[in-house]
Amino acid sequence: MKTFDSESFQMQYQIADVAADLYVAGAGDFTLKDVAKELDIDVGEIFNYFPNKKDILQFYYASLAVRYEFMIDEIDDFESYSISEKLSNFAYASFDMFAEKQVFVEDTFDELITRNCARTEFEEEIERLVKRFLESDKHISLSSSIALNGYFYAFLRRQYLSLVKFWLNDESENHELTMQLTDKLTGFLQELMYNPIADKSLDLVKFMYANKKSFLTNIPFVKQIFSKIEIR
């Protein structure tokens, strides 16, 4: 696992931040020399961090999750938030960060993220953040925790990207529809992940199976259930 270097990250973010502004100002046309000039550094220093302009622009997106983690580190009781509160807080914060460079995001999100052939670093960071939230939550039911795997995190990542797309196209005042949709989606996910019914059902089956001799003798319909299970 690569060790996080905060100084390197800050420099990478500065380069990406400036490049995003230059992209908008030049309608997509800018050079690494332009970026170096804005930051008062040599062009060669940029190549210490990025091999090309596309990687620089993609890092603007990839940096979002890390920047958000810096923010929540300042919230003393963040770990006490419910999973719905954590996910919606991240979504709202990411929308605010995107709004700072909205023209850039509108122009590049599809090209750099959703239509990219390979999974981007931004998508990997989203999955990592979601995994952190879910696997540290003590309220998730045992049966739901079984679903916490790479496929599930990839599914949630895709839903988040769809939510960003919805935000980009949302013409309601202050993106009110996006906020409502975010609340409903995260609330629904919490209901699924916290619901203990499956756990209780599993406990019941285990209890009945452990004591099946007694149940088979005294309760006819249970005998029928176990006979079907054994046949299968």
Side-chain angles (χ1 to χ4, degrees), residues 109-134:
F109 190 75
D110 274 339
E111 179 184 353
L112 296 176
I113 306 300
T114 60
R115 291 204 302 262
N116 203 294
C117 295
R119 187 173 61 169
T120 64
E121 187 178 353
F122 171 62
E123 292 171 286
E124 291 176 352
E125 286 296 303
I126 296 303
E127 287 190 31
R128 180 186 62 79
L129 191 62
V130 170
K131 182 178 181 180
R132 168 186 167 178
F133 290 163
L134 289 172

Side-chain angles (χ1 to χ4, degrees), residues 70-81 86 132:
F70 286 153
M71 293 167 56
I72 62 177
D73 284 344
E74 302 300 318
I75 303 176
D76 292 335
D77 62 342
F78 184 79
E79 290 306 318
S80 68
Y81 286 14
K86 287 178 180 178
R132 168 186 167 178

Side-chain angles (χ1 to χ4, degrees), residues 35-97:
V35 176
K37 183 179 179 181
E38 288 291 320
L39 292 171
D40 195 25
I41 60 176
D42 294 329
V43 175
E45 189 170 346
I46 294 177
F47 285 106
N48 291 332
Y49 301 100
F50 301 103
N52 53 54
K53 291 194 296 184
K54 183 177 180 180
D55 277 17
I56 293 174
L57 297 177
Q58 284 187 325
F59 186 81
Y60 171 78
Y61 290 103
S63 68
L64 184 142
V66 178
R67 291 164 59 203
Y68 178 70
E69 286 181 305
F70 286 153
M71 293 167 56
I72 62 177
D73 284 344
E74 302 300 318
I75 303 176
D76 292 335
D77 62 342
F78 184 79
E79 290 306 318
S80 68
Y81 286 14
S82 69
I83 193 61
S84 175
E85 290 170 333
K86 287 178 180 178
L87 292 173
S88 58
N89 184 275
F90 166 67
Y92 298 151
S94 68
F95 298 150
D96 287 342
M97 286 188 272

Side-chain angles (χ1 to χ4, degrees), residues 156-180:
L156 293 181
R157 177 250 302 168
R158 289 192 293 271
Q159 305 321 300
Y160 169 74
L161 295 184
S162 296
L163 195 58
V164 174
K165 290 278 291 179
F166 186 88
W167 175 81
L168 287 170
N169 292 286
D170 183 5
E171 297 181 354
S172 63
E173 186 175 357
N174 298 318
H175 295 92
E176 184 63 29
L177 286 176
T178 303
M179 303 306 148
Q180 292 180 22

Side-chain angles (χ1 to χ4, degrees), residues 175-208:
H175 295 92
E176 184 63 29
L177 286 176
T178 303
M179 303 306 148
Q180 292 180 22
L181 179 59
T182 300
D183 286 343
K184 291 182 183 302
L185 288 174
T186 56
F188 177 70
L189 178 64
Q190 177 169 303
E191 286 296 318
L192 288 178
M193 302 305 293
Y194 285 5
N195 197 321
I197 292 177
D199 287 354
K200 292 179 179 179
S201 299
L202 182 60
D203 285 342
L204 175 60
V205 171
K206 288 165 64 178
F207 171 72
M208 291 172 67

Side-chain angles (χ1 to χ4, degrees), residues 208 220-230:
M208 291 172 67
F221 85 88
V222 175
K223 183 176 181 179
Q224 293 177 357
I225 293 174
F226 279 111
S227 65
K228 292 180 180 179
I229 293 175
E230 288 171 0

